[in-house]
Amino acid sequence: MLINCASYQNGKKIADIEIEHISEHIADKDSFVWVALLDPTVDEISKMKEEFDLHPLAVEDALLGHQRPKIEEYGNSLFAVIQVLKYEDDISVGELDIFAASDYVLSVRNRSDVTFLGVRERCEQEPDLLSQGSGFVLYALIDAVVDRYFPIVEKLEDELDAARIEMTLNIGVYSTRRTQR
């Protein structure tokens, strides 16, 4: 499903655009296109492959999903796979695949309800940084994923501390029972 498709130039959003017009916008070397997809269909990925001339191996990885985190270079473009974590009662793992080149960023989110609309808003509020182009968007997406790891690590540390205390108390109770026999 298409979440966003917009063209940017000089750090500002020019327009929301239709997928069919992506190639026209990336032909303008002074701008770049930023597209966000959620759990895309094969047809949607195929359309992106056509519009952005994506490498077939990267497209295959995005379609298959369940990839290890990585960054691969394909000619003048990068393909990154990042694990998106969410912790409620349990840890759920989704995936963010990012295709990036000087004239586009395509983010493909799979198996995750974690949103990245805040990343787009943050980038649009930083025109000086956004004027650096698609590289800033790539950085901002990765940064948003990594920032979400810290609260999860803190929760896990708290659970580990609680388990450690419980074990220590239980060992003390067990030890006391053995000596009383």
Side-chain angles (χ1 to χ4, degrees):
M1 169 174 57
L2 178 68
I3 303 295
N4 280 306
C5 183
S7 181
Y8 295 83
Q9 186 173 42
N10 299 322
K12 293 187 175 24
K13 182 176 176 179
I14 299 171
D16 290 313
I17 59 174
E18 298 296 320
I19 291 174
E20 295 76 24
H21 300 287
I22 289 173
S23 52
E24 297 165 22
H25 284 267
I26 62 175
D28 178 0
K29 295 302 174 189
D30 293 330
S31 66
F32 72 93
V33 173
W34 183 359
V35 179
L37 299 176
L38 171 62
D39 296 317
T41 64
V42 172
D43 288 342
E44 287 173 318
I45 289 285
S46 295
K47 185 66 178 166
M48 294 297 114
K49 179 181 186 247
E50 179 184 315
E51 289 294 323
F52 293 120
D53 192 29
L54 303 174
H55 194 279
L57 291 176
V59 170
E60 182 181 336
D61 283 352
L63 282 172
L64 293 175
H66 302 284
Q67 300 295 311
R68 292 182 180 175
K70 62 183 175 181
I71 296 179
E72 294 182 339
E73 188 175 1
Y74 293 104
N76 294 326
S77 67
L78 292 176
F79 174 65
V81 177
I82 303 151
Q83 302 298 308
V84 179
L85 304 179
K86 184 175 181 181
Y87 186 47
E88 288 174 344
D89 295 329
D90 200 8
I91 295 177
S92 63
V93 180
E95 186 172 296
L96 178 64
D97 301 318
I98 306 170
F99 299 83
S102 62
D103 50 1
Y104 67 85
V105 174
L106 166 62
S107 65
V108 179
R109 188 167 32 109
N110 288 298
R111 302 175 324 281
S112 176
D113 60 359
V114 174
T115 67
F116 290 93
L117 292 174
V119 175
R120 189 177 292 265
E121 289 171 10
R122 175 184 157 219
C123 289
E124 289 175 357
Q125 291 172 1
E126 300 275 356
D128 289 342
L129 294 172
L130 190 55
S131 69
Q132 300 300 310
S134 60
F136 174 65
V137 174
L138 174 64
Y139 159 78
L141 287 167
I142 294 171
D143 185 56
V145 171
V146 172
D147 282 350
R148 290 181 178 140
Y149 288 179
F150 294 110
I152 294 170
V153 169
E154 288 175 10
K155 283 184 183 179
L156 292 173
E157 285 175 342
D158 291 345
E159 287 182 15
L160 184 58
D161 287 343
R164 194 177 300 131
I165 290 168
E166 186 177 328
M167 268 182 22
T168 303
L169 292 174
N170 288 339
I171 289 172
V173 169
Y174 175 74
S175 178
T176 306
R177 286 186 189 155
R178 279 186 63 106
T179 41
Q180 290 177 346
R181 285 190 195 172

